[in-house]
């Protein structure tokens, strides 16, 4: 979960302008940060997910979905290799992977500790200049040279070090609580080009994002969904991979037999209200097709957009009903949409 719902005296329109034309900063205050270290650290993490991390180069990162024995999503995390035998995890659901501790019992050389690191992230077209403005001049070139899911250690202008990680849609700043608090104060009081943004704006940003399918744990992605159902089946190696991990058998059995899919819904007109999480999606005769997982009004599209879990036979282009309005089903990220009537 990302930070506050909103910021007092920071208008939502101002936040939106920041992520569409400038730079907006989001505090990641409710993440669970863990340090997993030791000669068995990589093998332990590999045993918890279909996505391998033991082969990460030093300083590189991966987005990982940890799985349950049934093959459903247990937790999400960004995993960074911070040392030859050390990994740092930022768990988006705010909890440890459910099978972390019990699986660790099968490994002798591993340590699992709460990390003293916290983070915030910066999004928007001017995000690079924004994060560079917070660090020492000598380290700005390193940030500019980062590729997606690479990180580097930098010196901050407020004192102390931080790790800057580049993702597909932003830059994350990982550091101690003391340094993060000082950087955030500097950002708010001395960096007018960076706007603090909250959860309400993040939901709008997720709906409009065209770079990735920005589903979120535990609303769009959760223990009731498999990786195939949420468009993350690319993480699952084929059955000839030979590596065992929590949920392997369940995932291989579920391949090609999805019960639902993560879809987009766009309102048929500009007057449609915003549905609530959990609102039912129905066909013309009132038959149940699924439910809404996230929704927000889109300034870019001039109408409400939503994510939903839908039945497999409810395909893009279908017209459905939710919250008393008509909607059209779409893939996500949303393609260019026709003008709203």
């Amino acid at each position: 979960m990302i930070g506050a719902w909103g910021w007092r005296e920071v208008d939502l329109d101002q936040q939106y302008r920041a992520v569409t034309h400038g730079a907006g900063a989001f505090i990641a205050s409710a993440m669970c940060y863990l340090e997993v270290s030791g000669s068995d650290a990589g093998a332990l993490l590999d045993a918890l997910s279909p996505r391998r991390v033991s082969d990460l180069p030093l300083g590189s990162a991966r987005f990982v979905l940890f799985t349950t024995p049934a093959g459903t999503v247990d937790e999400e995390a960004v995993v960074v290799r911070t040392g030859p035998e050390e990994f740092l995890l930022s768990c988006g659901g705010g909890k440890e992977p459910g099978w972390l501790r019990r699986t660790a019992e099968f490994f002798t050389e591993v340590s699992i500790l709460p990390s003293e690191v916290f983070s915030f992230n910066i999004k928007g077209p001017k995000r690079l200049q924004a994060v560079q403005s917070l660090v020492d001049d000598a380290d700005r070139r390193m940030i500019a040279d980062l590729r997606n899911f690479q990180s580097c250690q930098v010196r901050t202008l407020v004192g102390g070090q931080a790790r800057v990680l580049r993702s597909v849609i932003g830059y994350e700043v990982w550091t101690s609580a003391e340094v993060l608090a000082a950087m955030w104060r500097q950002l708010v009081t001395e960096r007018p080009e960076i706007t603090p943004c909250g959860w309400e704006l993040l939901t709008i940003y997720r709906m409009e994002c065209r770079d990735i399918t920005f589903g979120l744990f535990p609303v769009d992605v959760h223990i009731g969904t498999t990786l195939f159902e949420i468009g993350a089946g690319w993480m699952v190696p084929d059955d000839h991979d030979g590596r065992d991990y929590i949920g392997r058998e369940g995932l291989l059995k579920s391949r090609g037999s999805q019960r639902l899919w993560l879809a987009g819904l766009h309102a048929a007109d500009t007057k449609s209200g915003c549905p609530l999480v959990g609102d039912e999606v129905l066909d013309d005769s009132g038959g149940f097709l699924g439910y809404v997982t996230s929704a927000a009004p889109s300034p870019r599209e001039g109408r409400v957009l939503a994510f939903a879990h839908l039945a497999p036979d409810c395909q893009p282009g279908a017209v459905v009903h939710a919250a008393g309005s008509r909607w059209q089903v779409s893939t996500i990220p949303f393609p260019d949409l026709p003008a709203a009537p």
Side-chain angles (χ1 to χ4, degrees), residues 69-89:
T72 58
V73 180
D74 172 58
E75 177 60 285
E76 67 176 17
V78 173
V79 180
V80 187
R81 187 167 209 150
T82 53
E85 297 181 351
E86 182 180 277
F87 297 84
L88 192 59
L89 282 65

Side-chain angles (χ1 to χ4, degrees), residues 164-178:
V164 174
L165 168 66
R166 177 181 173 180
S167 70
V168 177
I169 56 175
Y171 287 91
E172 300 184 6
V173 180
W174 299 29
T175 187
S176 68
E178 294 77 16

Side-chain angles (χ1 to χ4, degrees), residues 88-140:
L88 192 59
L89 282 65
S90 170
C91 301
K95 62 179 181 63
E96 294 184 357
W99 277 259
L100 175 63
R101 299 286 176 172
R102 67 192 76 181
T103 306
E105 295 174 3
F106 297 95
F107 297 88
T108 56
E109 299 297 327
V110 69
S111 170
I112 304 167
L113 296 171
S115 174
E116 296 181 355
V117 161
F118 295 90
S119 72
F120 65 90
N121 62 80
I122 299 179
K123 295 177 170 61
K126 296 182 180 179
R127 56 189 180 269
L128 172 58
Q129 300 94 314
V131 72
Q132 285 178 316
S133 74
L134 301 173
V135 308
D136 190 88
D137 288 351
D139 292 336
R140 293 177 181 179

Side-chain angles (χ1 to χ4, degrees), residues 74-322:
D74 172 58
E75 177 60 285
E76 67 176 17
V78 173
V79 180
V80 187
R81 187 167 209 150
T82 53
E85 297 181 351
E86 182 180 277
F87 297 84
L88 192 59
L89 282 65
S90 170
C91 301
K95 62 179 181 63
E96 294 184 357
W99 277 259
L100 175 63
R101 299 286 176 172
R102 67 192 76 181
T103 306
E105 295 174 3
F106 297 95
F107 297 88
T108 56
E109 299 297 327
V110 69
S111 170
I112 304 167
L113 296 171
S115 174
E116 296 181 355
V117 161
F118 295 90
S119 72
F120 65 90
N121 62 80
I122 299 179
K123 295 177 170 61
K126 296 182 180 179
R127 56 189 180 269
L128 172 58
Q129 300 94 314
V131 72
Q132 285 178 316
S133 74
L134 301 173
V135 308
D136 190 88
D137 288 351
D139 292 336
R140 293 177 181 179
R141 183 71 255 170
M142 284 197 302
I143 297 175
D145 289 340
L146 292 175
R147 297 192 297 273
N148 286 346
F149 290 100
Q150 287 185 335
S151 71
C152 63
Q153 287 284 102
V154 298
R155 293 177 294 274
T156 73
L157 293 182
V158 297
Q161 289 195 324
R163 179 176 297 276
V164 174
L165 168 66
R166 177 181 173 180
S167 70
V168 177
I169 56 175
Y171 287 91
E172 300 184 6
V173 180
W174 299 29
T175 187
S176 68
E178 294 77 16
V179 174
L180 184 141
M183 293 184 74
W184 190 262
R185 284 195 296 271
Q186 180 192 53
L187 181 155
V188 171
T189 61
E190 302 175 21
R191 297 291 186 272
E193 69 275 13
I194 309 175
T195 301
C197 299
W199 175 263
E200 186 178 12
L201 190 278
L202 181 70
T203 305
I204 296 172
Y205 181 90
R206 293 196 299 115
M207 296 298 107
E208 293 190 350
C209 183
R210 286 180 172 168
D211 298 305
I212 60 172
T213 298
F214 199 163
L216 200 65
F217 189 97
V219 286
D220 314 295
V221 178
H222 52 67
I223 201 168
T225 58
T226 71
L227 275 63
F228 298 111
E229 293 167 339
I230 58 171
W234 53 268
M235 287 191 188
V236 182
D238 61 37
D239 55 0
H240 302 297
D241 177 75
R243 180 172 60 89
D244 196 16
Y245 54 86
I246 297 293
R248 178 179 181 273
E249 185 176 349
L251 276 169
L252 294 179
K253 284 182 178 179
S254 68
R255 192 192 298 267
S257 59
Q258 289 87 294
R259 303 156 300 162
L260 57 90
W261 67 290
L262 182 56
L265 301 176
H266 58 87
D269 61 61
T270 59
K271 298 179 182 178
S272 298
C274 193
L276 301 176
V277 174
D279 276 354
E280 292 184 341
V281 180
L282 308 173
D283 62 21
D284 286 335
S285 60
F288 179 77
L289 295 172
Y291 68 96
V292 174
T293 61
S294 297
S298 166
R300 184 186 73 198
E301 301 297 340
R303 68 184 109 183
V304 175
L305 303 179
F307 293 167
H309 287 168
L310 298 182
D313 58 352
C314 185
Q315 290 296 298
V319 175
V320 298
H321 303 266

